[in-house]
Amino acid sequence: LFDAELSGGGFFSWLACHQLDLLFYLTGQAVVGVTARTGTFGVHETSVEDGGVAILDLEGGGLATFLGGYWFPRWAGENHLRIRGSERWVTWDPTRKGTAGVLEIHGPMPQRHAMQNPGQRCRSTGESMQNTLQLIDTIYQASREGRRIECRIG
């Protein structure tokens, strides 16, 4: 998996993709700008990135920040997705000890909650997969070019 020719990417393609997919589901908003830095920050040489950071501008004016990497110790709790808006903020922490992940919502309660309808159709669709892959490609592009990329994804 750590071969760029075979896999096309590293941490963002393998693990971050799940949290980035969740971003579209939680917000229901398109990403309209991406600033990112990806790379090899750990001690092990690899031809793909082992982590990075992304700042995602949402169409409603909010910001989503993502920070993660293979070099982060799981117990440190630093691998998370945070979405901030003017009235509330949401944090998804997949590394919270003793849990399968915790979704914290701060501020006024939202109109819907991710687990509100357990019998509803699966949120993962072909379209959501394409949006997530397009977002990952844009994160890689923003990092390569060292600039904010304007886009409309989702």
Side-chain angles (χ1 to χ4, degrees):
L1 291 174
F2 288 95
D3 183 324
E5 257 185 69
L6 293 175
S7 63
F11 177 77
F12 278 87
S13 293
W14 303 336
L15 287 179
C17 59
H18 303 293
Q19 293 181 41
L20 297 172
D21 176 49
L22 187 61
L23 169 70
F24 292 116
Y25 179 73
L26 289 174
T27 67
Q29 294 183 27
V31 172
V32 296
V34 175
T35 306
R37 179 159 180 239
T38 65
T40 304
F41 304 102
V43 296
H44 302 288
E45 287 294 320
T46 176
S47 66
V48 295
E49 92 284 354
D50 64 3
V53 61
I55 302 169
L56 310 171
D57 302 331
L58 302 176
E59 69 181 332
L63 285 177
T65 58
F66 177 84
L67 172 67
Y70 289 129
W71 77 94
F72 282 11
R74 286 186 173 256
W75 50 263
E78 294 182 50
N79 184 356
H80 63 271
L81 172 72
R82 182 161 290 136
I83 306 163
R84 291 200 179 266
S86 60
E87 295 184 27
R88 70 177 61 93
W89 62 98
V90 176
T91 301
W92 168 247
D93 179 359
T95 61
R96 181 80 55 92
K97 188 175 181 173
T99 72
V102 174
L103 178 67
E104 295 177 329
I105 302 171
H106 306 272
M109 289 304 293
Q111 297 299 315
R112 64 184 184 136
H113 188 273
M115 304 301 180
Q116 185 174 339
N117 300 315
Q120 70 188 17
R121 287 184 37 215
C122 178
R123 68 177 176 80
S124 295
T125 64
E127 182 181 355
S128 70
M129 180 183 70
Q130 286 180 324
N131 288 338
T132 302
L133 292 174
Q134 185 179 359
L135 179 56
I136 291 167
D137 286 346
T138 307
I139 288 169
Y140 289 146
Q141 178 187 358
S143 180
R144 260 191 330 272
E145 296 180 12
R147 65 181 185 90
R148 180 182 183 273
I149 304 294
E150 291 187 24
C151 56
R152 180 163 186 80
I153 304 169

